[in-house]
Amino acid sequence: MVELWLTRHGETEYNVSGVVQGVVNSNLTKRGVADAQALGRGFAAAGVNFDAAYSSDLQRAADTAQLALAAAHIDLPVTQMAGLREQNFGLFDGQPESQRQGALADMLREAGVPNVERLNMKQLVDLVRILDVHRGGGDAENSHMSLKRFNQAMTTISETAVAQHQDNVFVVAHGAIIWLWLNSLGMPDTADFIRNVAVSKIVYGQGRFTLLGYNDRRYVENGGGTRDVPAQEFKLE
C-alpha cells in the first residue's frame, strides 16, 4: 500500500489579491513561504518521512514542495508533472475573481436559474467551461477533462511507488483540482475549498485510491504556521 500526502501550495500573491490563478504562475507570499517551511517542520515533528516527492510544474507548487522538504531535512528531488497542474479556467485565468463570479451569475440568471447563492467546485468549473467555449478560446477544462489528466498523473505516481517499494509519497498540487479529485473519491459535495498547505491523505493499493482524510492543516500549524485560515467560498452576487 502506498500513502499519498496530497498538499495544496502555500499562499500566493494572486490568492491575496483575489485573482484567478488556474494555469498561470503567481509567486508565494512571505506567508506562503513561511507556511511551506512550517509544513516541513510539522512533518519532522510528527516523524513523517517521504520516499518520493512530486509537484505540479507551476512554480507555486514546486516552490512549496522544495521549501517543505528542506525544512523537514528530507533530501529528495521534486519531480514536476504537468498532469498535476491546476484546473484551467480559460479566459478567466489571471483575471479578478469578481469577473468570473459575475459572469457565472449572469449566465445563471439568463438561463432562468433562481436563488443560486454559491457554487461548489464541480459546478463552478463545469459552468466556466461553457462560458469559455462561447466567449473565450475554449481552453478551459470541465471537471471530466481535468480529472482525467490528474487521475492519470496520480496513477502514474502510485504505480511507480509500488514498483519501487515506496511507502510515503509527497505530492503538491492546487486547490481546485485537489477538491475535484477528492470529490471523485468520495469527499462530500459540501466540503470546504482546500486550504493553502492543507494535507489530504489517500491510500493506493490493488489499483484503487481510498480517501483517508482531507483539508488537514495540523502539520503546518504544529510547525508554527498560520492558524485559523478561513475556507474560500464561491458566492454569486
Side-chain angles (χ1 to χ4, degrees), residues 121 178-194 200 211 213-215:
M121 184 57 67
I178 291 175
W179 192 101
L180 289 168
W181 192 62
L182 297 182
N183 179 246
S184 77
L185 300 182
M187 186 181 74
D189 291 346
T190 55
D192 286 343
F193 189 74
I194 304 301
S200 299
L211 179 61
Y214 58 90
N215 230 353

Side-chain angles (χ1 to χ4, degrees), residues 3 6 43 45 56-57 70 77 80 82 84 86 92 110 116 133 156 161 175 180 199 202 206 231 235:
E3 192 162 278
L6 180 57
F43 285 152
S56 152
D57 62 348
Q80 298 182 24
L84 297 175
E86 176 62 300
F92 297 110
E110 290 169 8
V116 176
V133 167
T156 297
L180 289 168
V199 176
I202 305 95
Q206 298 182 331
K235 288 190 174 182

Side-chain angles (χ1 to χ4, degrees), residues 64-130:
T64 298
Q66 290 160 358
L67 288 164
L69 290 171
H73 304 292
I74 299 173
D75 185 16
L76 281 176
V78 177
T79 300
Q80 298 182 24
M81 298 178 69
L84 297 175
R85 283 186 175 190
E86 176 62 300
Q87 175 78 24
N88 188 328
F89 291 106
L91 80 163
F92 297 110
D93 279 354
Q95 302 302 313
E97 176 62 47
S98 58
Q99 179 178 319
R100 180 173 65 174
Q101 297 306 97
L104 290 169
D106 290 344
M107 181 177 71
L108 290 171
R109 278 194 294 268
E110 290 169 8
V113 180
N115 303 323
V116 176
E117 294 182 355
R118 58 178 57 86
L119 300 171
N120 68 29
M121 184 57 67
K122 187 174 187 299
Q123 293 167 329
L124 182 144
V125 302
D126 287 341
L127 291 172
V128 164
R129 167 67 180 173
I130 294 170

Side-chain angles (χ1 to χ4, degrees), residues 137-191:
D139 294 325
E141 298 169 301
N142 61 26
S143 57
H144 175 77
M145 295 162 68
S146 56
L147 280 171
K148 181 178 179 180
R149 53 96 175 161
F150 191 83
N151 194 68
Q152 286 175 342
M154 294 300 291
T155 300
T156 297
I157 290 168
S158 301
E159 286 293 335
T160 299
V162 170
Q164 298 184 6
H165 306 288
Q166 297 166 344
D167 296 323
N168 283 342
V169 179
F170 183 41
V171 183
V172 180
H174 306 267
I177 192 62
I178 291 175
W179 192 101
L180 289 168
W181 192 62
L182 297 182
N183 179 246
S184 77
L185 300 182
M187 186 181 74
D189 291 346
T190 55

